[in-house]
């Protein structure tokens, strides 16, 4: 109804001779619109993923529609290798690359504050590693100044982790960073949702639509290439590697987050202070999560280095690699911290791990993590839109 009301207002304004404001498209957005017009005439890839059914519900592609469809794309590469108009054809249709360029633009456009989004997009890898190492160095200096100089960095402190950094100090350091990241992500996705909702029928969320989108997110449904054999990476061969490594990374991250949450409950509700021993739940969740996260990010990094240039936006590689590097550093430093318990290396490993974790959360709203949030929002809107009457009348989804 909101979309119909918007069209009615525009028609009335045109009839009265008023100017209907149209947001201008950037070069990347114009290229997506051009390619989608060609795809809309062909429709060979209609069954590949959510992008093409969403495309067929439109005859033209304003800015909000382009942002919505670009964030539906999982960059699997299947349509590129199936397309008869792909380069070197003069139409030069490369949907994965065109969509990737717009997606990267949306991460920066919807970031809050926007200046930080643009900075991270240009210097993701350097900024991520510099921030993690800088924070770790700051913590190392704090330990050295608070203790017996450099000797404090290579000793067996009494009280484990909290003998180095008191619990309340850690809460004071990490709570503001976590809350800021949560706020920045929430504000960004709120703006995105507000912009794409009128372009996707304007209908509210429903339980069936939410269930369908949740299933697509948790299974990474659209990384199967549309046929279950997987997507493409360095060539035209099908591979499930990206889907599997994404699963290991995502669920490893969630297990680590669950370990921290359970440890918080242990501390405040049960009065049990960290570190914990096996077979405690925080230790089991953290160990499994750390291994899964380390393997998943190592695999994604390896695939990123081998990825064919035509399968994505080369300008985003620093941002992608920065996020992968921070996740890998967080996972491996956490596992090393576990191994260093009871050894003189505990303080150094703790400083490195805390620096990596703080840098990770500080950059979450501006890096590759944002794509998961925006893509989830796009999948929710797609699940809502497909349940509405087809606006063109040429069939249904």
């Amino acid at each position: 109804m909101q979309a119909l009301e918007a069209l009615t207002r525009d028609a009335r304004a045109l009839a009265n001779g008023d100017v209907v404001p149209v947001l201008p498209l950037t070069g990347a957005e114009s290229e997506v619109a051009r390619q989608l017009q060609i795809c809309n005439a062909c429709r060979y890839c209609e069954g590949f993923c959510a992008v093409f059914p969403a495309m067929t519900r439109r005859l033209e592609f304003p800015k909000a529609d382009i942002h919505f469809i670009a964030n539906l794309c999982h960059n699997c590469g299947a349509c590129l290798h199936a397309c008869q108009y792909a380069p070197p054809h003069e139409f030069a249709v490369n949907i994965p690359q065109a969509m990737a360029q717009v997606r990267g633009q949306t991460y920066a456009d919807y970031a809050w504050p926007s200046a930080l989004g643009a900075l991270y997009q240009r210097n993701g890898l350097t900024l991520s590693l510099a921030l993690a190492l800088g924070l770790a160095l700051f913590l190392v200096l704090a330990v050295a100044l608070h203790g017996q100089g450099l000797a404090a960095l290579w000793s067996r402190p009494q009280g484990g982790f909290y003998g180095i950094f008191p619990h309340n100090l850690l809460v004071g350091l990490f709570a503001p960073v976590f809350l800021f990241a949560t706020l920045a992500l929430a504000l960004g996705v709120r703006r995105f949702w507000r912009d794409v909702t009128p372009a996707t029928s304007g209908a509210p969320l429903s339980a069936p639509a939410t269930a369908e989108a949740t299933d697509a997110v948790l299974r990474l449904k659209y990384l199967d290439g549309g046929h279950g054999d997987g997507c493409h990476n360095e060539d035209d061969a099908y591979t499930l590697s990206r889907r599997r490594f994404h699963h290991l990374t995502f669920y490893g991250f969630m297990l680590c987050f669950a370990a921290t949450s359970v440890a918080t409950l242990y501390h405040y509700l049960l009065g049990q202070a960290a570190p914990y021993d096996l077979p405690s739940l925080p230790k089991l969740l953290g160990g499994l999560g750390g291994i899964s996260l380390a393997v998943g990010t190592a695999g994604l990094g390896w695939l990123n280095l081998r990825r064919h240039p035509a399968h994505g936006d080369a300008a985003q590689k620093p941002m992608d690699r920065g996020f992968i590097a921070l996740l890998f550093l967080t996972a491996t430093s956490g596992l090393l911290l576990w191994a260093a318990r009871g050894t003189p290396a505990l303080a150094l490993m703790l400083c490195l791990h805390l620096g990596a974790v703080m840098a990770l959360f500080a950059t979450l709203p501006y890096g590759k993590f944002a794509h998961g949030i925006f893509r989830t929002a796009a999948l929710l809107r797609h699940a809502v839109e497909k349940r509405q009457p087809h606006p063109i009348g040429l069939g249904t989804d």
Side-chain angles (χ1 to χ4, degrees), residues 341-354:
R341 184 183 172 187
T343 72
L346 177 63
L348 282 174
M349 288 299 101
L350 181 60
C351 290
L352 178 61
H353 182 62
L354 294 179

Side-chain angles (χ1 to χ4, degrees), residues 18 37 41 70 81 116 120 214 237 252 271 301 311 325 358 390:
D18 298 331
Q37 294 286 3
H81 292 279
L116 291 180
Y120 191 82
T214 301
H311 288 169
M358 192 179 295
H390 201 289

Side-chain angles (χ1 to χ4, degrees), residues 283-294:
K283 185 66 74 176
L284 288 171
L285 292 173
L288 290 174
I291 293 171
S292 176
L293 187 58

Side-chain angles (χ1 to χ4, degrees), residues 11-237:
R12 187 179 296 115
L14 287 171
N16 294 331
D18 298 331
V19 176
V20 178
V22 177
L23 294 175
L25 302 183
T26 65
E29 292 165 349
S30 297
E31 179 60 17
V32 166
R34 181 190 73 84
Q35 294 191 26
L36 288 177
Q37 294 286 3
I38 297 171
C39 293
N40 226 348
C42 174
R43 301 195 178 190
Y44 179 81
C45 301
E46 193 168 343
F48 278 22
C49 68
V51 165
F52 298 99
M55 174 196 72
T56 62
R57 300 177 69 91
R58 292 158 170 81
L59 294 178
E60 57 183 2
F61 301 95
K63 183 182 284 284
D65 298 73
I66 291 171
H67 288 180
F68 161 63
I69 295 177
N71 280 280
L72 276 182
C73 175
H74 283 55
N75 199 20
C76 78
C79 58
L80 173 65
H81 292 279
C83 182
Q84 60 185 320
Y85 302 119
H89 192 281
E90 61 180 333
F91 288 175
V93 173
N94 186 339
I95 290 294
Q97 190 171 77
M99 295 292 190
Q101 290 170 349
V102 170
R103 270 198 312 280
Q105 177 186 317
T106 61
Y107 304 156
D109 288 350
Y110 289 104
W112 182 88
S114 57
L116 291 180
L119 175 65
Y120 191 82
Q121 190 178 40
R122 291 193 301 267
N123 306 285
L125 180 59
T126 302
L127 183 62
S128 297
L129 296 179
L131 183 59
L133 295 177
L135 289 169
L137 179 60
F138 169 78
L139 295 172
V140 164
L141 292 175
V143 172
L145 292 174
H146 180 73
Q148 304 298 319
L150 294 178
L153 296 171
W154 196 258
S155 62
R156 292 181 174 87
Q158 299 296 320
F161 300 159
Y162 298 151
I164 304 172
F165 294 108
H167 177 266
N168 290 339
L169 174 62
L170 291 178
V171 172
L173 288 173
F174 282 90
V177 177
F178 176 76
L179 292 174
F180 172 80
T182 303
L183 175 64
L185 280 169
L187 291 175
V189 77
R190 178 177 175 271
R191 289 178 54 210
F192 177 77
W193 185 270
R194 184 185 61 200
D195 287 351
V196 303
T197 293
T200 52
S201 80
L205 279 176
S206 64
T210 302
E212 178 185 326
T214 301
D215 175 73
V217 170
L218 296 180
R219 292 195 300 113
L220 290 174
K221 174 181 177 181
Y222 296 113
L223 276 182
D224 67 353
H227 39 58
D229 294 324
C231 52
H232 306 275
N233 194 62
E234 64 267 23
D235 50 34
D236 61 354

